[in-house]
Amino acid sequence: MAILRLSRSRRLSIIIAISFTFFAIEIGVGFYTRSLALVADAFHYLNDLIGFIVALAAIKVSNKPGSTPASLAFGWQRSQLLGAFFNGVFLLALGVSIILQSVERFVSLEKVENPKLVLIVGCVGLTLNLISAFFIHAEHDHGPHGHHASDSENSQTSLTMEFQNVEAVHENHRHHNVASAVTKGHHDLGVMGVFLHVIGDAINNLGVIIAALVIWLAKYEGRFYADPGVSMGIGIFILLSAIPLVKNSGSILLESVPLGVKLDDVRHDLETIPGVDSIHELHAWRLNQNKAIATAHVVTTNSSLESFMDQAQRIRECLHAYGIHSVTLQPELPASSTGSGFEPLSANGNGNQGIRARDGSTSTCRIACRSACEPLTCCG
């Protein structure tokens, strides 16, 4: 089908056009008929519309190498994550606002005018959401570049073989379970998130349709409670979808440790590598949803740069098995070592950053801050 050959940005552009048109119609009809359920659904639609625009902007930027602002060379990769966080905060505020308005409507009931028009708009919204879901699902099945399942399977097989080779070299390490989890098939979380939002909108539209049918067909006076009842359900649904969004995006923005990774296990594995005396200043965090970064000071018993490069390769392989692919390593010599390969480094200040080696002894970081700087360091 021709629709399956459309690029990802073209599909998102079509979805944005559909969403904006329907939002304008739904918000206007909602205020005209005094249907709180319709207004609540319209604002939820607005939230999704903002998410689609952010996603499209990110695609446009990624397709233009060199367009990243110089002042955001590193943090620019978090732009979508930051948008998701504010998106979630907006959803939280919106959900609370809708719930409060629903409670007010229960106390002071208002009659919905022209429920037939509300029903029509709800049906149109449901149809448009199903169309949008088809667009997104087609992209999810065929990928943004039209790759077939065999390509994904071949890539998955290569990744599995790569991890098996790493495990063969690191037999006594603890990263085997993490590696097996990484190699499991996974979906594009960005596409899946958009798809779930569209499905959520479709559910809201069903609620609007049910409320309109009750108000239109029922004859008892209490039928008008269907409108604030549905809006209350929409508000709760928005809250339930916003809480994990804020939690997950906020956790990554706070530079949490990558999922499934325990720093104690990482330190244990690195310190079993031949020539590595101890590891300190070990940090690992998620830059965004897909990329993890690590830094570490490595106290090495080898004084030559060539020997350390061999250790560094083993360390990278080990961290690679944990799903960490961007690593910065700083070599240090033990305090008692002298050699010509690395320049001996003397600690500044009182050097209170202790390191416990494998033999239980405690050493001191060879590169420490001055005493006046210590409150500003991450490990103090």
Side-chain angles (χ1 to χ4, degrees):
M1 295 176 60
I3 189 175
L4 299 179
R5 293 193 293 269
L6 294 176
S7 66
R8 186 177 183 182
S9 60
R10 181 62 61 86
R11 292 180 185 178
L12 271 176
S13 298
I14 294 175
I15 294 174
I16 288 172
I18 293 174
S19 300
F20 180 79
T21 302
F22 181 70
F23 164 74
I25 295 173
E26 190 172 34
I27 193 70
V29 175
F31 282 121
Y32 173 75
T33 60
R34 299 182 181 179
S35 172
L36 182 59
L38 210 56
V39 173
D41 184 59
F43 278 109
H44 191 211
Y45 222 89
L46 174 63
N47 175 78
D48 293 344
L49 177 61
I50 295 173
F52 296 153
I53 294 174
V54 170
L56 179 61
I59 292 175
K60 295 292 186 182
V61 170
S62 64
N63 290 336
K64 296 179 180 179
S67 61
T68 302
S71 60
L72 296 174
F74 191 67
W76 186 254
Q77 298 183 56
R78 290 187 161 196
S79 57
Q80 282 186 297
L81 196 64
L82 186 63
F85 180 78
F86 283 109
N87 199 9
V89 172
F90 174 77
L91 273 176
L92 285 175
L94 177 62
V96 171
S97 175
I98 291 173
I99 291 175
L100 292 177
Q101 291 182 59
S102 301
V103 172
E104 182 182 359
R105 281 287 184 93
F106 276 115
V107 176
S108 180
L109 187 63
E110 287 190 25
K111 295 183 178 180
V112 176
E113 300 175 359
N114 200 345
K116 293 182 181 179
L117 185 58
V118 176
L119 176 62
I120 293 173
V121 173
C123 291
V124 172
L126 178 61
T127 303
L128 294 180
N129 274 309
L130 292 178
I131 293 174
S132 298
F134 173 75
F135 270 81
I136 299 172
H137 190 264
E139 175 184 348
H140 179 66
D141 285 343
H142 294 268
H145 304 291
H147 293 286
H148 296 289
S150 58
D151 297 327
S152 176
E153 292 173 356
N154 292 335
S155 176
Q156 193 68 42
T157 301
S158 300
L159 187 59
T160 303
M161 293 176 63
E162 183 177 352
F163 277 124
Q164 289 174 346
N165 293 334
V166 171
E167 290 185 5
V169 181
H170 303 257
E171 294 180 356
N172 298 323
H173 289 190
R174 300 175 180 173
H175 53 58
H176 305 287
N177 292 335
V178 177
S180 62
V182 172
T183 56
K184 290 180 180 179
H186 63 280
H187 300 292
D188 187 329
L189 295 181
V191 175
M192 182 59 67
V194 173
F195 181 73
L196 292 177
H197 269 292
V198 172
I199 295 300
D201 283 332
I203 295 174
N204 292 343
N205 290 136
L206 286 175
V208 171
I209 292 172
I210 293 172
L213 288 173
V214 171
I215 296 173
W216 178 28
L217 300 177
K219 302 302 180 184
Y220 58 94
E221 188 66 22
R223 67 184 184 276
F224 293 105
Y225 283 108
D227 181 65
V230 169
S231 63
M232 175 74 76
I234 293 175
I236 294 174
F237 179 83
I238 291 175
L239 283 180
L240 293 177
S241 63
I243 291 175
L245 180 61
V246 173
K247 179 181 177 182
N248 294 334
S249 59
S251 175
I252 300 177
L253 288 174
L254 289 175
E255 299 187 347
S256 61
V257 176
L259 297 178
V261 174
K262 296 181 179 180
L263 290 182
D264 288 340
D265 289 344
V266 176
R267 180 178 286 104
H268 166 273
D269 290 354
L270 298 186
E271 290 183 345
T272 59
I273 294 176
V276 175
D277 185 66
S278 65
I279 298 290
H280 58 279
E281 292 287 359
L282 173 63
H283 305 285
W285 69 96
R286 288 184 287 173
L287 179 63
N288 52 38
Q289 195 172 19
N290 301 314
K291 186 173 183 178
I293 295 175
T295 62
H297 290 200
V298 182
V299 180
T300 175
T301 57
N302 297 315
S303 59
S304 69
L305 178 61
E306 183 179 356
S307 297
F308 176 75
M309 292 305 296
D310 292 337
Q311 292 175 355
Q313 181 61 34
R314 298 284 292 274
I315 290 173
R316 287 181 178 275
E317 290 175 355
C318 183
L319 292 174
H320 185 84
Y322 278 102
I324 301 172
H325 304 282
S326 182
V327 184
T328 300
L329 301 175
Q330 178 171 300
E332 296 181 10
L333 291 176
S336 59
S337 296
T338 57
S340 58
F342 290 118
E343 193 72 24
L345 300 170
S346 59
N348 295 322
N350 58 12
N352 66 347
Q353 298 181 3
I355 312 152
R356 184 164 299 277
R358 283 172 293 176
D359 59 2
S361 61
T362 301
S363 58
T364 303
C365 183
R366 305 301 307 279
I367 306 177
C369 286
R370 298 181 184 276
S371 58
C373 304
E374 287 171 9
L376 302 177
T377 60
C378 57
C379 293

